[in-house]
Amino acid sequence: MIRKNLATVFVLLSVALSVTANPPAIIASNAQSQPIISKQGMVVAQDAIAAKVGAKILAQGGNAIDAAVATGFALAVTLPQAGNIGGGGFMMVYLADKDKTIAIDYRETAPETAYRDLFLNPDGKVNNSIARFSHRSAGVPGTVAGMVLALENYGTMSLKQVIQPAIELADKGFIVDYPLTESLQDRSERLAQNPASAKYFFNPDGSTLKAGDKWQQKDLAKSLKLIAKHGKEGFYTGTTADKIVAEMKAGDGLITHTDLASYKAVEREAVTGTYNGYEIASMPPPSSGGVHLIQMLNILEAWDLPALGHNSAAYIHRLSETMRRAYADRAEHLGDPDHVPVPTQRLINKDYASYLRDSISLTKATASADYGSTLEDFKESTQTTHYSVWDKQGNVVSNTYTLNFSYGSGISVSGAGFLLNNEMDDFSAKPGSPNGYGLLGNEKNAIAGTKRPLSSMTPTIIFKDGKPVLVTGSPGGSTIITTVLQTVLNHLTFDMNIAQATAQPKFHHQWYPDAIGLEPGFSKDTTAILKSMGHKLSERNRVWGKSQSISAKDDLLFGSTDTRWTGGGAISVESVK
């Protein structure tokens, strides 16, 4: 068990969070304080080109699911650091006419031949290079299967229709913007080490793509055309599958034709809870996001947070102590429910939340070395991108998907035009050994064939009186859950409009490393008080969360991308007609 007095030496939070899926953010001094408003539908995404693709699908009469799938495939072209067909993720769907919420799990799976000690050296230590930057770090991709499942079950348009904009973007090219230039430059050294990636992401003379360049991706266009023509089979069998397997053989990877052909996206029951009169619906395991979002809201519900003052030392202390306890439970109890028992209902039990709340001192920080998961003591009475879609019929989609890190392993499938994920690092390579985000895990998240690694992705839909009022989610590795938590609190508890809620500086605690990570924007007085309470702080010169959210009120939609980063877009149907 992962308990107190751990022998493992942990890196500082600033180091753990430096392994991130994003380059340094452009922190806008005049961050947008007013959201984009629409009555006819909206798409909010990390890339404005892809968001516009989705909004046009809505304008053409497609529903939110059609637009979400179109946006997802477009992001595979325009946001290669996270958008993908070689990764996986989670989608929350609300169907207005059926008043039904669906959770679609298209997380990657471990290849069938993967085994518990896959990434251990002979001396028993984790080989992080193999776990994160090799062919063996790739899980079986789930994005294509997930998108096709969502469209076939809940969309209204054909796969050919919704994927065509992505094909055109890849085949004819698009103009590179500054955020993509910065991202490519930031990861150029790693990408240059792989011949296929060097071919795809650099100019023929070896220079990186620059803002204003036209970028065509012919091989990716061919792969997308095969999906458009043959559906799921156009990726998991045939030409593309042959190329993936050939890439695996060339690099000592594990994915086989059998792994690809047998991959399935699955529908799961959403994890649900309540918070001050709102109903929360979020992603269940193998994502830890929904469980711990609800668990933390349960703890926080009993406190008068507005009276403490937004982002005051007292407020940050309570939230950080709450985060510490949730992430300790994450390390001990979360995993793939198809392989291990996960005590979801016990973790989101409001009595358990009261038990945890009572363990929090209001004046002094808890030392993580003296705190482990207490669920067993309680007796009942985990680079990523997110986008949100809302259509005029009231259907809502919250989708988060990823390659892990930025550009995954940095290895591309030669001839197919897309990157391999490195999601195998999200397993616990060794109990008590931190992954690339500093997160801990135990045997429940150990590597096993066909198992899905634990995730922090937190696509979420929030309801009031049975009607959706907020859809949100974020990238950010281990900080995803706490970014979503604070966005929700900012909007629902502090009554900020969704743009203001998005732009506020965020903080993060994940049990280990034992420090509060602070984005820029917190006062010196606040940090001094936190230190006096015993908190260790890791202050950063960049932001990590990039929530993409839409709220609803009085038949109007209000959308906001995180304007502290450039390149995103909240695109209304009205703006593309």
Side-chain angles (χ1 to χ4, degrees):
M1 296 178 69
I2 298 174
R3 301 287 294 185
K4 48 192 173 183
N5 300 322
L6 292 167
T8 307
V9 177
F10 297 97
V11 294
L12 293 175
L13 182 61
S14 59
V15 176
L17 295 180
S18 69
V19 184
T20 178
N22 307 299
I26 305 300
I27 304 170
S29 59
N30 58 342
Q32 172 185 315
S33 60
Q34 295 300 320
I36 302 298
I37 302 175
S38 173
K39 293 192 72 172
Q40 298 182 29
M42 184 180 298
V43 179
V44 183
Q46 193 175 325
D47 176 76
I49 296 174
K52 189 173 183 179
V53 164
K56 285 184 176 180
I57 291 292
L58 292 178
Q60 293 166 12
N63 69 8
I65 297 85
D66 300 320
V69 174
T71 302
F73 280 117
L75 285 166
V77 182
T78 61
L79 194 77
Q81 61 267 47
N84 69 85
I85 58 173
F90 302 101
M91 181 184 291
M92 294 291 300
V93 177
Y94 174 72
L95 302 175
D97 60 342
K98 297 180 179 179
D99 190 25
K100 182 179 180 181
T101 303
I102 303 108
I104 299 175
D105 173 2
Y106 60 97
R107 179 68 158 157
E108 301 89 338
T109 58
E112 188 174 1
T113 57
Y115 54 95
R116 181 183 180 279
D117 297 337
L118 180 65
F119 299 130
L120 298 189
N121 289 324
D123 62 3
K125 294 181 179 179
V126 178
N127 188 322
N128 287 322
S129 179
I130 296 176
R132 299 169 189 174
F133 304 115
S134 76
H135 288 73
R136 290 195 167 205
S137 61
V140 182
T143 294
V144 174
M147 295 293 165
V148 171
L149 183 150
L151 188 70
E152 289 181 347
N153 289 357
Y154 307 110
T156 65
M157 301 175 79
S158 70
L159 182 59
K160 183 178 180 180
Q161 286 175 294
V162 299
I163 204 171
Q164 187 59 35
I167 292 172
E168 293 180 3
L169 285 166
D171 197 19
K172 297 179 182 178
F174 66 96
I175 302 302
V176 174
D177 60 9
Y178 177 76
L180 179 54
T181 300
E182 183 187 42
S183 173
L184 286 166
Q185 289 174 345
D186 190 64
R187 293 294 185 268
S188 60
E189 183 177 350
R190 174 149 53 90
L191 291 169
Q193 293 174 9
N194 177 252
S197 294
K199 173 186 174 183
Y200 293 139
F201 298 106
F202 294 82
N203 291 312
D205 63 0
S207 62
T208 56
L209 294 164
K210 294 180 176 59
D213 289 348
K214 186 176 184 180
W215 187 26
Q216 294 175 289
Q217 301 171 76
K218 295 291 187 179
D219 284 353
L220 178 56
K222 291 176 184 177
S223 295
L224 292 170
K225 288 175 183 177
L226 288 170
I227 298 168
K229 184 176 182 179
H230 301 292
K232 177 186 171 185
E233 287 70 26
F235 182 86
Y236 293 95
T237 63
T239 301
T240 302
D242 289 344
K243 290 176 180 177
I244 294 172
V245 173
E247 187 66 41
M248 288 292 116
K249 290 179 178 178
D252 194 31
L254 300 181
I255 298 174
T256 66
H257 280 105
T258 300
D259 290 322
L260 291 164
S262 60
Y263 180 87
K264 288 182 174 60
V266 296
E267 293 188 9
R268 301 189 186 276
E269 185 176 345
V271 60
T272 59
T274 61
Y275 172 73
N276 287 338
Y278 293 93
E279 303 94 44
I280 317 296
S282 193
M283 198 68 207
S287 173
S288 62
V291 170
H292 296 305
L293 174 66
I294 292 169
Q295 180 186 28
M296 290 189 289
L297 288 171
N298 285 344
I299 296 171
L300 297 168
E301 188 175 38
W303 285 318
D304 185 354
L305 299 180
L308 300 175
H310 182 259
N311 279 355
S312 67
Y315 176 77
I316 294 171
H317 170 73
R318 284 168 174 77
L319 262 69
S320 296
E321 290 298 307
T322 297
M323 294 170 185
R324 187 195 310 271
R325 284 153 177 76
Y327 277 81
D329 280 340
R330 181 190 191 277
E332 186 68 39
H333 299 291
L334 270 289
D336 182 349
D338 295 335
H339 285 251
V340 296
V342 179
T344 296
Q345 293 306 312
R346 295 189 70 205
L347 289 167
I348 63 173
N349 184 301
K350 287 188 181 287
D351 288 339
Y352 181 51
S354 179
Y355 176 82
L356 292 176
R357 190 185 312 113
D358 289 344
S359 74
I360 297 173
S361 165
L362 300 185
T363 59
K364 184 179 179 181
T366 306
S368 290
D370 296 330
Y371 183 86
S373 172
T374 59
L375 183 64
E376 298 306 324
D377 301 326
F378 166 68
K379 306 301 179 186
E380 287 185 72
S381 54
T382 161
Q383 192 352 340
T384 305
T385 190
H386 178 87
Y387 55 93
S388 297
V389 185
W390 204 311
D391 66 26
K392 63 182 179 182
Q393 289 82 25
N395 302 305
V396 180
V397 173
S398 180
N399 189 78
T400 314
Y401 72 159
T402 185
L403 288 165
N404 200 31
F405 289 12
S406 191
Y407 302 92
S409 64
I411 300 169
S412 292
V413 177
S414 182
F418 60 87
L419 287 152
L420 292 169
N421 68 79
N422 58 348
E423 293 296 353
M424 293 293 287
D425 183 59
D426 275 357
F427 283 113
S428 298
K430 181 180 180 180
S433 180
N435 71 0
Y437 293 98
L439 286 170
L440 301 180
N442 73 354
E443 291 291 347
K444 287 195 174 182
N445 192 37
I447 301 170
T450 73
K451 190 176 181 180
R452 299 175 196 255
L454 187 60
S455 170
S456 295
M457 289 181 269
T458 317
T460 298
I461 304 173
I462 296 180
F463 301 81
K464 180 73 171 178
D465 300 324
K467 300 295 183 182
V469 295
L470 176 65
V471 54
T472 188
S474 178
S478 61
T479 68
I480 291 173
I481 308 171
T482 53
T483 296
V484 172
L485 171 70
Q486 290 167 84
T487 302
V488 169
L489 291 173
N490 290 346
H491 183 58
L492 301 185
T493 300
F494 290 91
D495 201 29
M496 299 180 191
N497 72 45
I498 195 58
Q500 294 169 330
T502 300
Q504 295 299 313
K506 311 292 194 302
F507 55 93
H508 173 76
H509 202 300
Q510 61 182 49
W511 183 45
Y512 273 100
D514 188 358
I516 301 174
L518 296 169
E519 292 182 340
F522 293 90
S523 75
K524 294 298 182 183
D525 289 342
T526 297
T527 58
I529 295 171
L530 289 169
K531 289 177 182 177
S532 73
M533 299 173 79
H535 288 287
K536 301 180 183 71
L537 305 182
S538 177
E539 299 179 67
R540 300 161 52 78
N541 62 0
R542 47 155 296 163
V543 302
W544 54 71
K546 284 186 286 190
S547 58
Q548 313 291 325
S549 309
I550 305 173
S551 64
K553 185 177 182 181
D554 300 330
D555 296 323
L556 291 176
L557 300 178
F558 303 85
S560 180
T561 184
D562 192 334
T563 51
R564 298 175 303 164
W565 294 78
T566 56
I571 310 296
S572 67
V573 170
E574 291 91 333
S575 70
V576 297
K577 281 188 171 181

